[in-house]
Amino acid sequence: MQKKLVILGAGESGIGAALLGKQRGYDVFVSDGGAIKDIYKQELAVNHVPFEEGRHSWDVILNADEIIKSPGIPEKSELMKKVREKQVPVISEIEFAYRFSKDSKVIAITGSNGKSTTTALTFDIFERAGLKAAMVGNIGLSYARQVATAPADYYIVEVSSFQLDDIKEFKPNVAVLLNITPDHLDRYDYKMENYVASKFRIAMNQGPEDYFVYCMDDPEISDYLRKQTIYSTTIPFTIMEPLKQGGFMANEQVNIQVNDEPMIVSMYDLALKGKHNLYNSMAAGIAGRTMDIRKEKIRESLTSFKSLEHRMEYVATVRGVDFINDSKATNVNSLWFALESMEHPVVLIMGGVDKGNDYSAIRDLVKEKVKAIICLGVDNAPIQEALSSDTPIMVDTRNMKDAVQAAFQHAAKGDVVLLSPACASFDLFKNYEDRGKQFKEAVKEL
């Protein structure tokens, strides 16, 4: 008898899981309570995978042998309550993909901020080293789709806490934990400790032969490690003090010391600028060294890597004003990092769907660096209430074109116009990519 596999949610991870399930002989059914994109419907049809949209057929779902749940579906939903009541086994797509890629090496990267940049940089290191690597997960193709269509020897996987919540055996050879700051707390009963525990699931199945790479400057990570045991080989990174093993700063140089092989790069030669990118560069470099990639290849990558689209992406200079697209900054901490790295006066475009943001963390940076805030969202009241006393100018806008024009009006030669919203994009845009693309279009029209 074929095992009945039901996939809840037909985004990139769900479709990838469906293709892999079909390929491996499962009886697959895809169910999405919303609309499924046409391109995904075509894929399901071509691969003879039955699906439904706009509803859930309880009889089929609750009779599954196993369910793969989209990371976007919260446990509190009616759907998940019924599934849990019936005790149907639930896993995430990364768990399913891992099941069929255990012969490969897995480097998994998580954190509240910097995941995408670090994943892309790590992938760049592996690619330059001539290894057959794939960058998957929250970035690019889903892990399951890659395993089904183009298996690799090394998977560099960006993983979110939501994906980690439903793992059982997922065991990366290298787990990287960059930082933990409040985000998505609505999914964790508004308890920080629940969110922290979720992030640490990345290491829960690891043994001494695996590596756990972590930021020792992060208070949440350090606090957790004092109370809990990690069974893998731990490699810390820090900008505070020299270390015998790990990544550290000394004399304005990044030092990576793994397996008794020191590697040094001047911080001024790093392709990615800003304090947060010192951490990201160290984490990626350490991941490369754990897999014995040559120092020259790692150095080459760290000094010439091109930044990701929508993440501190330089767009253009118009009449002496630089425009930077940081649309992927969907929480306050990401905005903090963006402002912290700015060396010129900033006209900041921010706003969108507020996830219960606490803006107090950025008030000092706003006072110091921001000459005007251009609010871009359906409801800008939370930003205005929190930050109006910290900046002389605050403008209300409802579309990207108006926001960019207002920002340009308030900017002088030598200033930076920074799109770093600190909010989700769904009030005015399809997603953060759409928001970033509209920003770039509006800048071109100036």
Side-chain angles (χ1 to χ4, degrees):
M1 280 287 285
Q2 280 182 306
K3 224 174 165 189
K4 289 196 192 85
L5 181 68
V6 167
I7 293 159
L8 298 176
E12 172 58 28
S13 70
I15 301 302
L19 298 179
L20 181 59
K22 181 79 179 173
Q23 186 194 73
R24 299 295 169 142
Y26 287 79
D27 174 5
V28 182
F29 179 71
V30 176
S31 176
D32 196 311
I36 301 176
K37 285 182 186 168
D38 288 345
I39 189 166
Y40 288 152
K41 284 198 272 200
Q42 284 164 10
E43 270 196 288
L44 292 171
V46 166
N47 288 282
H48 308 291
V49 176
F51 65 89
E52 63 181 357
E53 59 180 335
R55 66 199 176 97
H56 291 302
S57 299
W58 297 113
D59 52 335
V60 182
I61 293 167
L62 298 177
N63 277 310
D65 293 309
E66 192 165 44
I67 286 173
I68 296 175
K69 169 172 94 78
S70 157
I73 300 171
E75 279 294 319
K76 296 185 184 86
S77 65
E78 197 54 39
L79 177 61
M80 288 316 296
K81 281 180 189 161
K82 289 190 178 183
V83 166
R84 296 298 184 193
E85 217 172 277
K86 190 85 192 310
Q87 297 185 328
V88 186
V90 176
I91 59 169
S92 62
E93 172 257 334
I94 59 164
E95 173 73 19
F96 190 61
Y98 177 73
R99 192 178 285 175
F100 301 104
S101 59
K102 288 180 181 173
D103 292 340
S104 302
K105 298 280 190 207
V106 177
I107 293 84
I109 295 160
T110 197
S112 303
N113 295 288
K115 299 188 283 295
S116 297
T117 300
T118 307
T119 303
L121 180 55
T122 305
F123 172 66
D124 189 76
I125 289 169
F126 279 68
E127 217 178 21
R128 279 176 205 260
L131 299 170
K132 191 179 171 191
M135 177 168 68
V136 296
N138 266 8
I139 185 170
L141 297 178
S142 64
Y143 183 11
R145 181 191 289 272
Q146 189 80 40
V147 172
T149 59
D153 297 331
Y154 296 85
Y155 293 99
I156 320 298
V157 194
E158 180 189 324
V159 290
S160 69
S161 55
F162 298 165
Q163 289 167 312
L164 291 168
D165 288 337
D166 291 300
I167 62 167
K168 302 281 186 288
E169 293 175 13
F170 178 69
K171 178 174 118 62
N173 302 82
V174 183
V176 178
L177 179 52
L178 296 166
N179 47 57
I180 307 177
T181 59
D183 198 10
H184 308 297
L185 291 187
D186 51 328
R187 286 277 289 263
Y188 295 98
D189 298 325
Y190 295 96
K191 289 180 179 161
M192 190 64 184
E193 62 270 27
N194 294 354
Y195 178 55
V196 172
S198 172
K199 285 290 186 197
F200 267 92
R201 287 174 67 82
I202 197 167
M204 75 181 199
N205 295 315
Q206 287 190 309
E209 70 284 4
D210 304 309
Y211 295 95
F212 177 67
V213 181
Y214 70 95
C215 178
M216 66 181 265
D217 299 345
D218 187 286
E220 295 290 353
I221 295 175
S222 300
D223 193 41
Y224 186 92
L225 288 173
R226 274 194 289 274
K227 300 176 210 155
Q228 304 288 340
T229 307
I230 297 285
Y231 295 99
S232 39
T233 300
T234 56
I235 306 183
F237 55 93
T238 174
I239 62 170
M240 302 297 189
E241 60 188 88
L243 300 173
K244 282 198 169 64
Q245 171 96 330
F248 62 93
M249 293 295 298
N251 306 319
E252 300 187 323
Q253 291 180 314
V254 172
N255 292 254
I256 292 170
Q257 180 92 18
V258 176
N259 305 337
D260 300 326
E261 283 267 346
M263 186 194 127
I264 298 171
V265 186
S266 164
M267 65 182 272
Y268 300 109
D269 292 339
L270 292 176
L272 297 174
K273 304 302 178 193
K275 182 172 148 191
H276 58 297
N277 280 320
L278 291 174
Y279 290 122
N280 297 340
S281 298
M282 281 194 263
I286 292 168
R289 287 299 298 136
T290 62
M291 294 289 126
D292 295 321
I293 291 175
R294 282 174 40 230
K295 292 182 292 187
E296 296 72 39
K297 291 295 175 193
I298 296 173
R299 186 179 287 108
E300 189 184 303
S301 186
L302 295 184
T303 55
S304 56
F305 175 71
K306 290 277 184 288
S307 180
L308 287 171
E309 191 179 14
H310 313 301
R311 171 54 91 202
M312 294 301 284
E313 175 194 10
Y314 168 76
V315 178
T317 301
V318 183
R319 285 186 234 146
V321 177
D322 287 347
F323 286 81
I324 306 283
N325 168 24
D326 193 34
S327 180
K328 200 171 186 303
T330 57
N331 59 43
V332 173
N333 217 55
S334 292
L335 170 55
W336 188 93
F337 282 128
L339 288 176
E340 193 270 334
S341 69
M342 289 291 135
E343 286 163 9
H344 298 280
V346 175
V347 176
L348 174 63
I349 302 175
M350 66 179 293
V353 180
D354 184 319
K355 299 180 280 188
N357 288 348
D358 175 6
Y359 294 106
S360 60
I362 57 166
R363 287 188 64 184
D364 288 346
L365 279 171
V366 168
K367 280 179 195 159
E368 183 193 336
K369 302 193 177 196
V370 177
K371 61 191 279 189
I373 291 178
I374 313 301
C375 300
L376 172 61
V378 170
D379 177 16
N380 296 318
I383 293 169
Q384 288 159 348
E385 283 162 23
L387 300 173
S388 58
S389 60
D390 302 314
T391 187
I393 300 163
M394 200 166 256
V395 180
D396 211 25
T397 63
R398 294 283 187 278
N399 64 64
M400 186 60 82
K401 194 171 180 180
D402 289 352
V404 168
Q405 285 178 341
F408 193 42
Q409 277 166 10
H410 290 289
K413 191 174 179 183
D415 291 351
V416 175
V417 170
L418 170 69
L419 169 70
S420 191
C423 296
S425 54
F426 308 120
D427 55 344
L428 296 172
F429 308 95
K430 290 188 200 121
N431 45 38
Y432 76 81
E433 289 107 329
D434 176 38
R435 177 167 62 188
K437 285 193 172 84
Q438 286 197 33
F439 174 72
K440 292 196 279 190
E441 285 302 316
V443 171
K444 277 185 199 139
E445 286 170 20
L446 286 173

